[in-house]
Amino acid sequence: MNQFSRASERLVHVPLQGRAYDILIGPGLIERAGGEITSRLKGLMDSLQTDGIEAVSLTLPAGEKTKSLEHLSTVCDMVLSARIERNDAVIALGGGVIGDLAGFAAGIVRRGVRFVQIPTSLLAQVDSSVGGKTGINTRHGKNLLGVFHQPDLVLADTAALDTLSEREFRAGYAEVAKYGLIDQPDFFEWLEKNWKAVFSGEPERIEAIARSCQSKSDVVVEDERETGRRALLNLGHTFGHALEAAVEYDGKRLVHGEGVAIGMVLAYQFSARMNLASPDDASRVEAHLKAVGLPTRISDIPGDLPPTQKLLDAIAQDKKVKSGKLTFILTHGIGQSFVADDVPSSEVLSFLDEKRSR
Ligand SMILES: NC(=O)c1ccc[n+]([C@@H]2O[C@H](COP(=O)([O-])OP(=O)(O)OC[C@H]3O[C@@H](n4cnc5c(N)ncnc54)[C@H](O)[C@@H]3O)[C@@H](O)[C@H]2O)c1
Ligand SMILES: [Zn+2]
């Protein structure tokens, strides 16, 4: 707890050398955002204090389709029209879509301007706002254009989550559970016991968010550019991204966190099939995600899906491919995930064929 934090707040520090920043987590931060930013981004806000806050805002449509070149161009144009200087900041107020898009713009306009994340979805608070990955989608796949650009400050206002739909809250929860499944079996166990309290409000909700941010920070500080351990954060994402692509990023059928939920179950089941983990662990993961109301099977996705070979093509197109071999995050059990970069695509094909029919 530091001087900026109130009793119900948590602070997670991300100690990246030269680019360290804080994540503040708690209710009501947005109402105090001006003050927090002023006291934390000194030079930036001096002028705002004397002149009154000078800001221009741009509202963008909700949904994954907003992470496009077209919208990137709109944002960059707007930021340049506002004659932004290197010491000014782009503030992303919204979910992961807005954070990724605005962060990318902040990273490339004038070779990088300052950036503040005010994530308003659970997914953005526990995942996308932390770690500095920004980007947009192209017709070749998700997040294929982007830069690393760390924020200067993250304000996670937990009160903002009160207006989030149940469905989106659950989707974000998939990423929370992910941290337990990667390397913290005790956290997963805590979630199995406390998920109802996390869904209904404080203080468990703040605890879960803080713990998630801390996990992500630990990984990012160790491996900012994803040359190694950071890849573990992709648990469930290789399958998940393929499913998102299969529904053409149609958020009515499947949102990102739901794809991750199904993807994590598939990763555990596939690990069991490869005799790396016990099928009981896969069942336990599925049971928990199902209990919170997340989809856990390919057949939970409404409507028709393309042929399995197409899903595999999407997996191969995904960025986690090294020299033609499929890279997956697999597991030896709850909280024992690892990077497997030699997974035979034929095994994946027959596995998916089997799984999509149930
Ligand atoms: N950069 C990273 O490291 C990283 C990590 C994980 C995910 N992501 C990206 O994040 C995106 C998903 O983020 P998301 O789940 O936040 O999606 P999102 O930004 O589309 O937000 C989900 C929905 O919730 C709405 N919303 C957001 N906050 C709200 C609030 N407080 N009240 C009511 N409605 C609200 C949005 O308008 C949207 O309709 C994906 O594009 C994914 O690729 C990036
Ligand atoms: Zn994700």
Side-chain angles (χ1 to χ4, degrees):
M1 198 79 43
N2 88 351
Q3 54 176 322
F4 300 108
S5 303
R6 301 185 174 182
S8 57
E9 282 170 15
R10 296 282 293 272
L11 182 145
V12 175
H13 182 65
V14 185
L16 279 168
Q17 244 186 349
R19 280 158 297 120
Y21 57 95
D22 287 340
I23 305 166
L24 283 181
I25 303 155
L29 286 170
I30 288 175
E31 277 126 63
R32 297 192 280 118
E36 294 292 352
I37 292 168
T38 306
S39 53
R40 289 167 161 270
L41 294 182
K42 218 22 210 111
L44 160 68
M45 289 299 168
D46 282 349
S47 62
L48 299 191
Q49 279 211 311
T50 42
D51 302 345
I53 287 186
E54 208 185 297
V56 280
S57 76
L58 172 68
T59 307
L60 293 164
E64 189 66 34
K65 289 196 165 77
T66 293
K67 273 174 58 171
S68 67
L69 265 177
E70 192 193 338
H71 284 106
L72 178 72
S73 156
T74 308
V75 176
C76 291
D77 187 64
M78 185 264 200
V79 171
L80 289 169
S81 300
R83 304 201 177 284
I84 196 165
E85 308 272 338
R86 286 198 61 143
N87 278 345
D88 295 332
V90 171
I91 300 176
L93 174 71
V97 164
I98 297 300
D100 279 11
L101 176 71
F104 190 14
I108 58 176
V109 166
R110 295 180 167 247
R111 298 199 180 81
V113 296
R114 299 217 251 178
F115 178 43
V116 175
Q117 289 263 25
I118 307 186
T120 59
S121 70
L122 178 60
L123 185 138
Q125 294 191 353
V126 299
D127 192 350
S128 61
S129 67
V130 185
K133 275 194 185 176
T134 73
I136 58 172
N137 307 323
T138 77
R139 68 185 179 84
H140 300 280
K142 259 182 76 100
N143 302 327
L144 292 178
L145 290 179
V147 293
F148 284 96
H149 189 59
Q150 296 293 345
D152 295 276
L153 174 68
V154 181
L155 294 178
D157 186 341
T158 50
L161 302 178
D162 294 342
T163 55
L164 197 64
S165 69
E166 273 267 326
R167 182 180 184 186
E168 290 294 350
F169 191 90
R170 277 198 296 266
Y173 183 87
E175 306 273 11
V176 174
K178 181 184 78 177
Y179 295 110
L181 295 176
I182 289 172
D183 59 0
Q184 294 171 59
D186 59 325
F187 183 44
F188 186 73
E189 208 172 296
W190 184 86
L191 289 171
E192 285 179 313
K193 288 198 190 94
N194 294 288
W195 69 269
K196 282 193 181 135
V198 172
F199 273 68
S200 62
E202 277 103 51
E204 284 82 358
R205 179 181 290 186
I206 292 178
E207 174 66 25
I209 295 170
R211 196 136 175 200
S212 301
C213 289
Q214 186 65 58
S215 304
K216 178 132 187 200
S217 167
D218 290 349
V219 173
V220 167
V221 166
E222 206 179 292
D223 178 22
E224 186 185 2
R225 299 275 160 153
E226 194 168 319
T227 53
R229 188 163 171 238
R230 186 167 181 168
L232 292 176
L233 295 171
N234 295 322
L235 174 65
H237 282 62
T238 306
F239 287 123
H241 283 169
L243 296 171
E244 280 187 275
V247 301
E248 291 165 348
Y249 307 109
D250 177 355
K252 289 192 191 76
R253 292 176 67 191
L254 189 75
V255 297
H256 176 75
E258 292 170 346
V260 171
I262 300 173
M264 291 192 299
V265 173
L266 290 173
Y268 269 76
Q269 289 172 337
F270 187 66
S271 301
R273 180 190 168 102
M274 303 293 280
N275 289 322
L276 296 163
S278 151
D280 293 348
D281 290 327
S283 305
R284 189 173 153 196
V285 173
E286 181 169 14
H288 178 57
L289 297 178
K290 209 173 161 185
V292 312
L294 280 162
T296 56
R297 296 173 180 205
I298 298 174
S299 56
D300 289 340
I301 302 170
D304 292 333
L305 291 176
T308 311
Q309 182 61 50
K310 274 255 181 318
L311 292 179
L312 196 68
D313 291 346
I315 286 172
Q317 185 61 258
D318 204 60
K319 63 188 183 301
K320 291 162 281 293
V321 185
K322 269 191 200 139
S323 55
K325 282 167 187 162
L326 295 179
T327 298
F328 278 85
I329 309 306
L330 298 181
T331 183
H332 293 303
I334 305 287
Q336 298 179 61
S337 299
F338 65 95
V339 183
D341 50 17
D342 205 0
V343 177
S345 57
S346 56
E347 285 285 344
V348 180
L349 188 68
S350 57
F351 168 74
L352 282 176
D353 247 341
E354 183 190 306
K355 286 300 164 195
R356 61 183 300 171
S357 57
R358 56 175 277 266

